[in-house]
């Protein structure tokens, strides 16, 4: 950034040996420091998704610096390297592959060429264009090669866009109303006024990056629907400042001022255009990551403004302290925001104060709490998410799931039924509705819900598993086995489906088949102690005591506190005649779970048998 700002603020000049000069060392360093510590960048730097934005910025800047290298041997704009212009186009293409914004560097290179290399006065150029003067001869554009270079840039940009169009297809991604409500408004006036309000919010985040949020969608920013809304003031302020800067950039008699302001506005506005909704709908309202590149323009304008003030100010130390204070405040805000990005809980909770009307924020806080086992608190946030957005199907699904686990089946069914009415292809909600209906013993409806889920998501192993459980409850054993087999085909590590197959085959007396399934499962999931336990039971019933014992001991080693493991191993020893070992494991099992009735009965039988043996031995 120091290199880029030194060119933008100080101009492009080289020594006789081709070494670039830094003609604005202090201002370029200040601008780079402002860029480095701007808190709005935290999302790109701290969030892994921001890697795309960082890579885009890297190649974006390299493209600009590459374009500048084209003029290393330049004498008043006459000579330039076509090779470096093409390298710049290639680097711009790589930037675009990282993030769509990257393509805008080609336009900025053209603006830089016109303003800095050719020292073009835009206002004079427009006036001559309107008067239909012989522009090309008067301005010397052909002689200096500007038109040729711009043609190269435009051709490169068009080629890149065409290739992207061929690879990605013609249609933009599909977004919903909650992602970008203004773009779905019927009235052109409402759309225009809200887009402009979004621009003013982005500008405010650059000026005062205190209110930062990981997500600005879902009601975070209510739509402006009439001119009586006080937020119209923000639009007026934005355009007042922009028009003032544009007038200065075009009409100022100071050529340096014109150049700096135009470059500052160019780097502020042009990289933001893909996120502006002007050319296509975007999937967000405000996103801090998209102002990573436009903040370059903000830093140029801020630094230039500071340099103007420092020339006029009598007490320059006060001004220097003020700028140092801004830098320190930004550093502190960056540190605070970075700490919030360290954990989901802190990140989501930090958003509650910024966007209390955002249903997704409440949903994420609730999900985080649910993942930690705090269901009561999670319910509160899920309910608030549904209240804020009555069509929030994911919040309904998660809330329905928790209520199902708490055996509040009636409300769970209502929520899940509403979710699938709103979004009929929501496979997870259909499956969860089936689980609730199964718990309510409405088996036909549950089966129908499961099959609807599978229709909308062909590869859905968890749904096949739950369908198998339903069939098992209805004693449709073959259907249950087929459903569980489908689950294991789609997800070979689906331990529960394998286990249920082994247990069902065991319970129905198909020991050979149960053993085959158990061995197949353990080959795929060799360290699953529950599979070891189930297969050990089958082997014990088949009187393969040694192999059964080995599996039981392996399962116990993996999970030593499972009372049933010790209890069933004790049963195996009991059958096998190893009564002392049986007694030992019965006692361990009862210690772990004193209420296990079957283990207690077996232990009492063993004790009576041992007492009888002792009496016989004594006689």
């Amino acid at each position: 950034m120091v290199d880029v700002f030194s060119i933008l603020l100080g101009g492009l000049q080289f020594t006789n040996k081709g070494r670039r000069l830094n003609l604005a060392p202090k201002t370029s360093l200040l601008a780079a420091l402002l860029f480095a510590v701007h808190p709005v960048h935290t999302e790109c730097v701290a969030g892994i998704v921001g890697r795309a934005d960082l890579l885009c910025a890297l190649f974006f800047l390299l493209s600009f610096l590459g374009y500048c290298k084209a003029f290393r041997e330049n004498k008043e704009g006459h000579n330039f390297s076509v090779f470096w212009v093409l390298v710049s186009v290639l680097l711009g293409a790589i930037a675009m592959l990282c993030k769509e914004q990257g393509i805008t560097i080609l336009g900025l290179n053209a603006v830089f060429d016109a303003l800095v290399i050719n020292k073009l006065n835009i206002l004079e150029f427009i006036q001559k264009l309107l008067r239909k003067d012989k522009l090309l001869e008067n301005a010397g554009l052909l002689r200096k090669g500007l038109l040729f270079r711009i043609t190269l840039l435009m051709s490169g940009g068009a080629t890149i866009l065409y290739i992207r169009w061929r690879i990605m297809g013609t249609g933009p991604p599909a977004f919903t109303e909650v992602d970008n409500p203004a773009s779905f408004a019927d009235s052109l006036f409402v759309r225009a006024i809200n887009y402009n309000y979004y621009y003013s919010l982005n500008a405010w985040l650059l000026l005062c990056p205190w209110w930062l949020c990981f997500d600005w969608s879902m009601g975070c920013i209510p739509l402006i629907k009439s001119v009586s809304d006080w937020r119209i003031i923000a639009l007026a302020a934005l355009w007042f400042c922009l028009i003032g800067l544009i007038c200065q950039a075009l009409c100022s008699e100071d050529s340096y001022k014109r150049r700096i302001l135009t470059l500052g506005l160019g780097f502020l506005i042009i990289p933001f255009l893909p996120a502006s909704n002007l050319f296509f709908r975007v999937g967000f309202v405000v996103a801090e990551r998209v102002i990573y590149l436009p903040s370059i323009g903000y830093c140029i304008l801020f630094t230039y403004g500071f340099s103007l003030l420092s020339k006029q100010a009598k007490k320059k130390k006060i001004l220097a302290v003020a700028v140092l204070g801004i830098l320190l405040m930004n550093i502190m805000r960056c540190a605070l925001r970075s700490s919030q990005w360290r954990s989901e809980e802190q990140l989501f909770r930090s958003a509650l104060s910024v966007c209390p009307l955002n249903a997704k924020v409440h949903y994420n806080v609730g999900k985080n709490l649910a993942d930690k086992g705090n269901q009561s608190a999670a319910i509160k946030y899920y309910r608030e998410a549904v209240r804020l957005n009555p069509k929030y199907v994911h919040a309904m699904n998660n809330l329905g799931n928790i209520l199902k686990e708490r055996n509040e089946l009636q409300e769970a069914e209502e929520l899940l039924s509403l979710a699938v009415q709103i979004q009929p292809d929501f496979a997870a909600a259909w499956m969860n509705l089936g689980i609730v209906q199964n718990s309510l013993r409405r088996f036909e409806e549950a089966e129908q819900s499961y099959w609807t889920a599978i229709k909308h998501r062909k590869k859905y192993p968890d749904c096949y598993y739950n369908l198998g459980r339903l069939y098992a409850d209805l004693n449709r054993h073959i259907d249950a086995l087929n459903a569980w087999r489908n689950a294991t085909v789609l997800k070979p590590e689906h331990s529960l489906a394998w286990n249920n197959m082994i247990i069902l085959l065991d319970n129905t007396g198909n020991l050979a088949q149960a053993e085959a399934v158990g061995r197949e499962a353990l080959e795929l999931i060799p360290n699953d102690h529950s599979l070891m336990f189930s297969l050990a039971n089958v082997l014990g019933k088949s009187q393969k005591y040694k192999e059964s014992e080995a599996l039981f001991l392996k399962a116990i080693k993996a999970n030593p506190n499972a009372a049933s493991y010790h209890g069933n191993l004790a049963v195996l020893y009991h059958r096998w005649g190893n009564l002392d070992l049986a007694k030992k494991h019965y006692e361990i099992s009862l210690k772990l779970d004193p209420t296990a009735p079957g283990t207690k009965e077996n232990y009492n039988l063993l004790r009576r048998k041992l007492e009888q043996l002792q009496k016989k031995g004594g006689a």
Side-chain angles (χ1 to χ4, degrees), residues 79-342:
N79 302 318
F80 65 94
S81 167
V82 174
F83 170 77
W84 277 108
V85 174
L86 294 175
V87 167
S88 173
V89 171
L90 177 63
L91 289 166
I94 298 169
M96 193 208 70
L97 290 172
C98 299
K99 200 81 175 175
E100 287 83 352
Q101 280 179 303
I103 193 79
T104 59
I105 189 56
L106 302 182
L108 286 167
N109 285 341
V111 170
F112 174 79
D113 196 337
L115 292 175
V116 179
I117 306 302
N118 285 273
K119 298 179 175 60
L120 192 68
N121 185 323
I122 293 174
L123 189 63
E124 284 181 13
F125 183 84
I126 293 168
Q127 288 171 346
K128 287 180 180 179
L129 186 66
L130 292 172
R131 290 200 302 267
K132 297 181 181 179
D133 287 357
K134 294 181 179 179
L135 271 174
L136 300 181
E137 291 175 15
N138 294 345
L141 300 183
L142 279 173
R143 181 173 55 83
K144 293 186 178 182
L146 175 60
L147 283 180
F148 176 68
R149 291 191 295 275
I150 288 177
T151 303
L152 278 180
L153 291 170
M154 288 177 65
S155 303
T159 305
I160 293 163
L161 289 172
Y162 175 73
I163 293 168
R164 187 191 184 281
W165 175 74
R166 288 300 301 267
I167 294 168
M168 302 291 287
T170 53
F175 299 114
T176 60
E177 189 174 349
V178 293
D179 297 320
N180 186 356
S183 66
F184 286 86
D186 295 328
S187 165
L188 179 63
F189 168 77
V190 172
R191 286 203 301 275
I193 207 166
N194 281 283
Y195 288 160
N196 279 277
Y197 181 60
Y198 297 161
Y199 306 155
S200 68
L201 285 175
N202 281 286
W204 182 249
L205 286 176
L206 286 173
L207 287 168
C208 181
W210 196 255
W211 293 277
L212 300 176
C213 184
F214 74 94
D215 188 275
W216 294 81
S217 64
M218 283 206 179
C220 184
I221 304 166
L223 286 180
I224 297 173
K225 294 182 179 178
S226 72
V227 289
S228 61
D229 195 311
W230 67 269
R231 290 175 293 171
I232 294 285
I233 298 167
L235 280 70
L238 172 72
W239 282 106
F240 177 79
C241 294
L242 275 179
I243 290 167
L245 287 169
I246 290 166
C247 289
Q248 287 290 306
L250 292 174
C251 306
S252 175
E253 293 180 6
D254 184 346
S255 62
Y256 177 75
K257 187 177 184 179
R258 288 200 308 270
R259 176 168 68 82
I260 294 297
L261 289 177
T262 307
L263 285 173
L265 288 167
F267 273 86
L268 181 70
I269 295 167
I270 293 172
F272 184 74
L273 289 175
S276 66
N277 286 288
L278 291 175
F279 305 109
F280 47 82
R281 178 184 289 153
V282 297
F284 50 84
V285 175
V286 173
E288 290 153 30
R289 60 187 178 276
V290 302
I291 45 181
Y292 189 85
L293 287 173
S295 65
I296 296 171
Y298 160 77
C299 292
I300 294 169
L301 295 172
F302 182 96
T303 308
Y304 179 65
F306 170 71
S307 65
L308 287 179
L309 284 173
S310 64
K311 286 175 185 175
Q312 296 173 5
K314 293 177 181 178
K315 296 181 179 180
K316 294 184 180 181
K317 285 184 179 179
I318 295 174
L319 198 60
V321 168
V323 172
L324 186 62
I326 290 170
L327 286 172
L328 288 172
M329 279 195 295
N330 279 357
I331 289 169
M332 287 166 63
R333 182 68 182 112
C334 269
L336 175 63
R337 187 63 179 155
S338 295
S339 70
Q340 290 170 346
W341 271 92
R342 286 183 181 276

